[in-house]
Amino acid sequence: MTELEKFQLESNGRLIVTRWLFLLLGIFISGAFLLFDQEMKVSVLLPAGWLMIFFVGAIIINIPIYLLVSSVQSNPGRFKLAVISYTQIMADLLGVTILVYILGGPGNITSMFYFLPIIEAIVLFNVTVPIIIALFSVFFLNGFIYLGYKN
């Protein structure tokens, strides 16, 4: 395994940990808003049902990717590593798209999260893949804008 492949494998593992930390932090903050909402009338970022859907979705995404990362560590392969990297980036792009949709569309501040998959692609790949991911992000964001004006 080359040094670049080792770096990509370590970065994929760190992405899983980072995703869990951000998810748990988001659930904690949204849960705190849910607790204070009854007394202080604080607006809730996400209802409890959506929090559970995101948590289950993260489990569904992260556990298979973690198992793939573990299998690549024991049996390295360039193709497996590429599959893991692309899967994580596409899963995060889909997750950001769902989050932007749930929280009100592209006019919401959450649309800035489209930079996260681009940053992941910069860390994991050469220059071509981040450009492609950036184009996908622009496509999804502009698609939301178009659908918002159409409706």
Side-chain angles (χ1 to χ4, degrees), residues 29-147:
I29 290 171
S30 297
F33 280 132
L34 283 172
L35 288 175
F36 292 120
D37 186 46
Q38 296 168 354
E39 297 175 12
M40 300 174 68
K41 301 298 181 200
V42 176
S43 68
V44 177
L45 295 177
L46 284 175
W50 285 112
L51 290 176
M52 289 306 299
I53 289 171
F54 276 126
F55 186 71
V56 170
I59 291 172
I60 290 170
I61 290 170
N62 279 327
I63 289 178
I65 292 175
Y66 174 77
L67 294 173
L68 283 171
V69 168
S70 299
S71 74
V72 169
Q73 287 174 342
S74 62
N75 185 14
R78 178 173 257 165
F79 179 75
K80 286 183 185 178
L81 189 57
V83 168
I84 293 169
S85 300
Y86 283 113
T87 302
Q88 287 207 73
I89 291 171
M90 288 304 174
D92 287 341
L93 189 59
L94 179 65
V96 167
T97 301
I98 291 170
L99 187 66
V100 168
Y101 176 76
I102 289 170
L103 293 176
N108 194 315
I109 195 164
T110 56
S111 61
M112 73 177 190
F113 291 144
Y114 275 114
F115 285 108
L116 295 176
I118 298 169
I119 293 170
E120 288 177 24
I122 290 169
V123 169
L124 293 174
F125 294 104
N126 60 10
V127 110
T128 310
V129 176
I131 291 171
I132 293 169
I133 298 302
L135 290 174
F136 273 113
S137 297
V138 167
F139 172 75
F140 284 126
L141 189 58
N142 286 329
F144 274 136
I145 293 170
Y146 174 76
L147 291 175

